């Protein structure tokens, strides 16, 4: 077990190429700790439980840490947190102590050394005692100040923190890598570690990394405040970034409330976290608690459900989407990841399958973050099944030449990453996905009309276009259900008549009827025009005010719409030039689908015209979508990122790094009360 953990440490810390997910590593380490506790005679000074990380790779000069960089004990349940706080109470006499609480970033721990206020050296954690000198690479990270602000500055200040790759930067890099046939990054943590440990700092400079400070090492010439939270505030004054989610919490209940709060924000944070960290806030209490061999007894990491897990591939299949995109995916042994059990994960495209070399029977690492579709990020080749001669048991996967749903040719246009079925609406798979998209919550919002029902409607020839949905009757749904049950050899109990058996059909008919009244932007999004998402649909609706002018617009006219480029303009014009698409729209109108139309609303209108607004954090009085709609109604452009061009930022509860960025750039900041007053003043 020690050897397994040492191997995992080497892959993770030295090669930046882990073969097992973090949750499996944690399980191994906890099991080894339990074994050593039960059998003290087997304890050893060189056990992985007695140290942190692994040895430096040898590429960089070694740096001996003046103060060791220790690891943290982990907790995975509320019971463990109660035990942690109770243990502190027993030893300090304070049973409701104050803690400093912060998100646990999934990046690379580093130490920054400042002498006389100047940044002189930066090192990785390494094995906790000795790390690697990565000063040149750290100097490329704009978030790290090269000189401390304010004064007087200490003679020596060692700042510990985390270098991380923001999610947006990670996704942008991987999209570029897939498009150019380069190796993708497995996760943001690998992106940060791999970027920081490049031998050429120019490569590091090309990858946007960030940094948050969270503790101190050696300090000389500075009297520290009595608490950790006050120290973090001091670091901010020195110009070092600190997580905006840092706060204080009292007792076990306060810690668990913070855990739940950050867990609710986790998917919206601009960076990956795998838990939160609790530290006794008072330094005198920290000293009273002391340390064990590899971790402080006054701090603990409270982990969230794993976002990466290992499982095995049962088969590789392909899915045909509403635009004909043929996407490979894996069917796998069920695995609990990111808080849910998943059995499928995407492989994106044929190039990604080839880069990963995923095969049937492989052990793979699956990643799931928030509501993002689970994806395969790595194959553990050491576990690949082999035949008697030592060759791989299964051959490499190849994309099909014909669509599995309709038999039409699958083609990949020059310059395109995605292969597509050429069958169009002749292809039932494209028809099912187009209908499913049309009925989705952000489109026409037909509650209860899921993919299973839609597939049956297509299979039994009840619908050919989205307009056919509005001709369906109660008897159509009941007959469809009877035919589907009969085809599946259903027992009589599943097709019984009566009020309960028909309620689902009545609800579907009512939901379809309710969706007849919609908005122009929802309709445009629901039609499934390629590359027209919610934002573009909203822009088109406001720019033209009505559907007919959009249908009549040529490419040049469409290019005058804000944020609509030549490619999207050509796709919109082509869609409305197709006779069968015009027939569908006429049929929708004929079946009673209607939407409010009005005068065109150009960007120059409204009290916020020409202004760019960014929303961050949670609002108590409304959802972020509602706030966005109300701001846009006053002429604002709502953006997802802060820049010098941002007019103002609306900061709600637990505002994230966007607030810090706004403060750094001197952008005006509104709280929720000011936003509500402004909206009320202008009739919103």
């Amino acid at each position: 077990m020690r050897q397994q953990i040492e191997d995992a440490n080497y892959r993770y810390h030295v090669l930046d190429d882990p073969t097992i997910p973090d949750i499996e590593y944690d399980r191994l380490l906890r099991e080894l700790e339990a074994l050593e506790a039960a059998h003290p005679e087997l304890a050893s000074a060189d056990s992985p439980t007695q140290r942190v990380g692994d040895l430096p790779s040898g590429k960089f000069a070694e740096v001996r840490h003046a103060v060791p960089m220790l690891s943290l004990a982990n907790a995975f349940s509320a019971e463990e947190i109660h035990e942690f706080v109770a243990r502190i109470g027993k030893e300090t006499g304070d049973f409701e102590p104050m803690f400093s609480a912060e998100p646990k970033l999934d990046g690379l721990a580093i130490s920054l050394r400042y002498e006389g206020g100047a940044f002189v050296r930066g090192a990785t954690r390494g094995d906790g005692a000795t790390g690697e000198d990565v000063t040149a690479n750290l100097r490329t990270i704009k978030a790290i100040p090269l000189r401390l602000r304010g004064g007087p500055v200490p003679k020596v200040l060692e700042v510990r923190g985390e270098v991380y790759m923001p999610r947006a930067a990670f996704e942008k890099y991987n999209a570029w890598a897939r498009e150019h046939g380069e190796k993708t990054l497995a996760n943001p943590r690998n992106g940060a570690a791999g970027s920081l440990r490049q031998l050429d700092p120019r490569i590091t400079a090309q990858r946007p990394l960030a940094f948050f400070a969270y503790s101190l090492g050696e300090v000389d010439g500075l009297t520290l405040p009595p608490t950790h939270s006050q120290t973090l505030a001091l670091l901010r004054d020195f110009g070092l970034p600190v997580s905006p989610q840092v706060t204080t919490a009292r007792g076990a209940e306060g810690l668990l409330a913070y855990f739940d709060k950050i867990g609710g924000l986790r998917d919206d944070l601009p960076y990956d976290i795998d838990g939160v960290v609790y530290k006794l806030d008072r330094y005198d209490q920290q000293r009273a608690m002391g340390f064990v061999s590899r971790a402080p007894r006054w701090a603990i990491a409270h982990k969230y459900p794993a976002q990466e897990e290992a499982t095995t591939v049962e088969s590789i299949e392909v899915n045909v989407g509403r635009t004909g995109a043929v996407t490979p995916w894996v069917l796998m042994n069920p695995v609990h990841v990111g808080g849910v059990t998943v059995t499928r994960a995407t492989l994106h495209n044929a190039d990604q399958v080839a880069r990963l070399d995923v095969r049937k029977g492989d052990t793979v690492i699956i990643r799931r973050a928030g509501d993002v579709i689970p994806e395969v990020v790595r194959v553990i080749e050491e576990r690949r099944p082999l035949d008697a001669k030592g060759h791989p048991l299964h051959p490499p996967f190849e994309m099909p030449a014909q669509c599995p749903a309709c038999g039409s040719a699958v083609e990949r246009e020059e310059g395109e990453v995605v292969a597509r079925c050429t069958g169009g609406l002749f292809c039932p798979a494209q028809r099912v996905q187009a209908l499913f998209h049309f009925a989705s919550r952000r489109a026409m919002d037909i509650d209860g009309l899921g993919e299973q029902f839609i597939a049956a409607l297509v299979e039994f020839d009840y619908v050919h276009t989205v307009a056919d949905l509005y001709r369906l009757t109660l008897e159509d749904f009941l007959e469809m259900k009877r035919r589907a049950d009969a085809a599946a050899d259903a027992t009589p109990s599943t097709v019984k008549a009566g009020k309960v058996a028909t309620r689902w059909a009545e609800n579907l008919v009512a939901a379809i009827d309710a969706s007849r009244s919609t908005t122009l932007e929802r309709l445009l999004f629901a039609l499934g025009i390629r590359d027209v998402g919610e934002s573009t649909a909203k822009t088109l609706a406001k720019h033209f005010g009505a559907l007919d002018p959009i249908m009549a617009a040529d490419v040049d006219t469409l290019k005058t719409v804000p944020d609509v480029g030549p490619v999207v303009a050509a796709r919109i014009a082509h869609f409305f030039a197709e006779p069968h698409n015009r027939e569908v729209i006429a049929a929708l109108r004929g079946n009673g689908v209607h939407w409010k139309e009005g005068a065109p609303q150009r960007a120059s209108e409204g009290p916020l015209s020409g202004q760019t607004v960014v929303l961050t954090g949670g609002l108590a009085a409304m959802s972020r979508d509602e706030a966005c709609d109300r701001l846009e109604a006053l002429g604002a452009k709502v953006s997802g990122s802060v820049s010098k061009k941002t007019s103002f930022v609306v900061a709600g509860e637990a505002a994230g790094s966007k607030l810090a960025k706004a403060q750094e750039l001197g952008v005006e900041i509104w709280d929720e009360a000011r936003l509500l007053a402004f909206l009320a003043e202008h009739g919103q």
Side-chain angles (χ1 to χ4, degrees):
M1 186 170 290
R2 286 173 178 159
Q3 187 61 51
Q4 287 183 59
I5 294 173
E6 290 289 356
D7 290 343
N9 276 335
Y10 178 76
R11 302 284 303 200
Y12 189 95
H13 293 282
V14 178
L15 301 183
D16 296 328
D17 187 31
T19 56
I20 63 174
D22 288 352
I23 191 67
E24 188 170 335
Y25 178 90
D26 289 336
R27 282 197 295 262
L28 284 170
L29 191 60
R30 285 162 72 92
E31 186 177 352
L32 180 58
E33 289 172 340
L35 284 170
E36 291 180 348
H39 301 279
E41 71 276 13
L42 298 181
S44 171
D46 62 357
S47 170
T49 62
Q50 303 302 308
R51 64 190 181 88
V52 181
D54 212 315
L55 299 174
S57 69
K59 301 179 192 175
F60 301 91
E62 292 188 1
V63 174
R64 186 77 179 175
H65 298 303
V67 176
M69 295 183 69
L70 300 180
S71 184
L72 291 172
N74 292 325
F76 296 89
S77 68
E79 290 76 15
E80 290 177 283
I81 298 304
H82 280 287
E83 291 171 2
F84 168 68
V85 175
R87 186 163 58 249
I88 290 172
K90 183 178 180 181
E91 298 195 27
T92 66
D94 185 353
F95 289 90
E96 290 289 322
M98 185 67 76
F99 292 88
S100 176
E102 63 191 81
K104 184 179 182 297
L105 274 73
D106 198 10
L108 188 69
I110 60 156
S111 180
L112 309 175
R113 185 178 179 88
Y114 290 87
E115 295 180 357
F119 174 51
V120 296
R121 187 172 66 238
T124 63
R125 181 169 63 183
D127 64 1
T130 303
E132 295 173 326
D133 189 331
V134 288
T135 306
N137 291 346
L138 288 169
R139 286 181 179 275
T140 70
I141 301 175
K142 295 179 180 179
I144 296 176
L146 299 180
R147 177 169 290 278
L148 299 178
R149 295 171 61 90
V153 295
K155 181 179 179 181
V156 175
L157 183 71
E158 277 191 355
V159 179
R160 271 72 193 271
E162 198 89 357
V163 168
Y164 66 94
M165 179 174 283
R167 286 176 175 171
F170 169 75
E171 296 294 345
K172 185 176 180 180
Y173 179 87
N174 273 356
W176 175 88
R178 282 192 286 266
E179 184 177 346
H180 291 82
E182 300 289 336
K183 182 181 179 181
T184 56
L185 302 172
N187 51 52
R189 188 269 165 196
N190 279 63
S195 300
L196 191 59
R197 300 175 71 214
Q198 294 288 330
L199 292 176
D200 186 349
R202 292 172 297 181
I203 298 177
T204 306
Q206 294 170 0
R207 300 183 182 181
L209 300 176
F211 169 78
F212 278 147
Y214 54 62
S215 67
L216 294 175
E218 182 182 8
V219 179
D220 186 5
L222 175 69
T223 300
L224 293 178
T227 66
H228 179 72
S229 56
Q230 290 173 314
T231 298
L232 292 180
L234 180 62
L235 291 180
R236 284 197 188 100
D237 293 339
F238 280 142
L240 291 148
V242 175
S243 171
Q245 280 74 40
V246 169
T247 188
T248 55
R250 186 174 293 280
E253 295 305 323
L255 297 184
L256 295 175
Y258 179 79
F259 181 80
D260 291 340
K261 178 181 176 181
I262 296 299
L265 296 171
R266 186 182 184 189
D267 296 341
D268 295 324
L269 293 174
Y271 44 78
D272 270 7
I273 64 172
D274 57 4
V276 295
V277 175
Y278 313 131
K279 303 172 185 174
L280 268 176
D281 200 32
R282 285 169 43 184
Y283 286 136
D284 62 333
Q285 291 183 333
Q286 289 186 11
R287 288 190 291 270
M289 291 300 298
F291 299 81
V292 292
S293 59
R294 62 187 296 272
R297 298 179 66 241
W298 41 263
I300 199 166
H302 192 178
K303 294 290 197 75
Y304 290 114
Q307 291 186 299
E308 290 189 358
E309 259 292 7
T311 185
T312 54
V313 176
E314 293 184 352
S315 64
I316 302 177
E317 314 290 344
V318 295
N319 178 67
V320 183
R322 63 183 174 84
T323 63
V326 179
T327 304
W329 56 275
V330 297
L331 179 66
M332 58 201 181
N333 286 331
V335 61
H336 196 71
V337 57
V340 300
T341 299
V342 297
T343 58
R344 295 170 51 148
T346 184
L347 289 163
H348 295 291
N349 54 57
D351 289 347
Q352 182 72 349
V353 178
R355 279 192 292 273
L356 293 171
D357 190 21
V358 183
R359 308 186 188 194
K360 179 180 178 181
D362 277 352
T363 299
V364 295
I365 292 178
I366 303 299
R367 177 177 175 80
R368 179 185 183 271
D371 293 329
V372 177
I373 297 171
E375 63 175 340
V376 178
V377 296
R378 185 179 300 275
V379 174
I380 304 178
E381 292 191 19
E382 294 85 349
R383 301 187 190 180
R384 173 167 286 164
L386 305 175
D387 60 21
K389 296 182 179 180
H391 299 137
L393 190 61
H394 300 286
F397 171 78
E398 293 184 3
M399 288 287 285
Q402 283 82 36
C403 172
C406 70
S408 300
V410 172
E411 297 179 355
R412 179 172 168 181
E413 295 180 16
E414 186 176 353
E416 285 267 342
V417 175
V418 176
R420 299 182 188 277
C421 164
T422 58
L425 286 181
F426 167 74
C427 175
Q430 292 186 56
R431 201 181 315 157
V432 168
Q433 293 301 319
L435 288 162
F436 183 61
H437 171 76
F438 183 85
S440 63
R441 184 176 64 86
R442 308 291 291 192
M444 298 299 282
D445 193 19
I446 304 178
D447 187 34
L449 190 59
E451 192 168 358
Q452 182 179 0
F453 280 138
I454 291 172
L457 289 169
V458 171
E459 180 183 356
F460 296 116
D461 211 30
Y462 284 93
V463 295
H464 294 86
T465 74
V466 294
D468 293 337
L469 292 172
Y470 295 94
R471 294 203 305 266
L472 294 171
T473 65
L474 178 64
E475 183 53 40
D476 287 332
F477 278 114
L478 294 175
E479 175 62 23
M480 178 203 73
K481 182 67 162 58
R482 283 191 287 268
R483 292 175 65 182
D485 285 344
D489 294 325
T491 61
S493 62
T494 64
V495 294
K496 64 182 180 180
K499 186 67 176 176
V500 174
T502 62
R503 188 170 298 155
W504 65 272
E506 292 170 347
N507 290 340
L508 274 177
V509 171
I512 291 172
D513 189 56
S515 74
R516 293 180 201 273
S517 178
T518 188
T519 64
L520 178 56
E521 63 193 55
R522 277 182 174 270
L523 176 73
L524 288 168
F525 177 57
L527 290 174
I529 306 167
R530 190 173 169 193
D531 290 339
V532 174
E534 291 178 76
S535 178
T536 302
K538 184 181 294 186
T539 302
L540 288 168
K542 289 184 176 181
H543 187 87
F544 289 97
L547 181 60
D548 288 342
I550 301 175
M551 295 175 65
D554 58 18
V555 172
D556 289 336
T557 302
L558 289 164
K559 285 194 296 185
T560 66
V561 179
D563 301 324
V564 173
V567 174
V568 176
R571 285 176 176 157
I572 296 169
H574 175 74
F575 180 90
F576 288 115
E578 289 285 348
H580 63 85
N581 289 332
R582 289 178 170 268
E583 290 170 5
V584 168
I585 292 169
L588 285 169
R589 282 172 161 155
N591 291 336
V593 178
H594 59 281
W595 51 91
K596 185 178 179 180
E597 296 188 338
Q601 182 182 332
R602 300 296 190 240
S604 60
E605 300 173 4
L608 295 178
S609 296
Q611 297 193 46
T612 300
V613 181
V614 173
L615 299 168
T616 181
L619 300 176
M622 69 189 84
S623 67
R624 191 178 295 189
D625 285 343
E626 183 182 354
C628 178
D629 290 341
R630 292 165 74 173
L631 286 165
E632 288 178 340
L634 297 176
K637 175 184 178 182
V638 179
S639 174
S641 59
V642 178
S643 70
K644 292 181 180 179
K645 296 181 179 179
T646 302
S647 304
F648 62 90
V649 170
V650 178
E653 183 181 1
S657 60
K658 294 175 187 176
L659 174 59
K661 182 70 171 179
Q663 293 169 332
E664 179 186 335
L665 296 176
V667 174
E668 185 178 358
I669 297 168
W670 291 17
D671 59 16
E672 184 173 1
R674 183 174 178 183
L675 171 67
L676 292 174
F678 183 86
L679 294 175
E681 179 185 351
H682 294 88
Q684 284 292 323

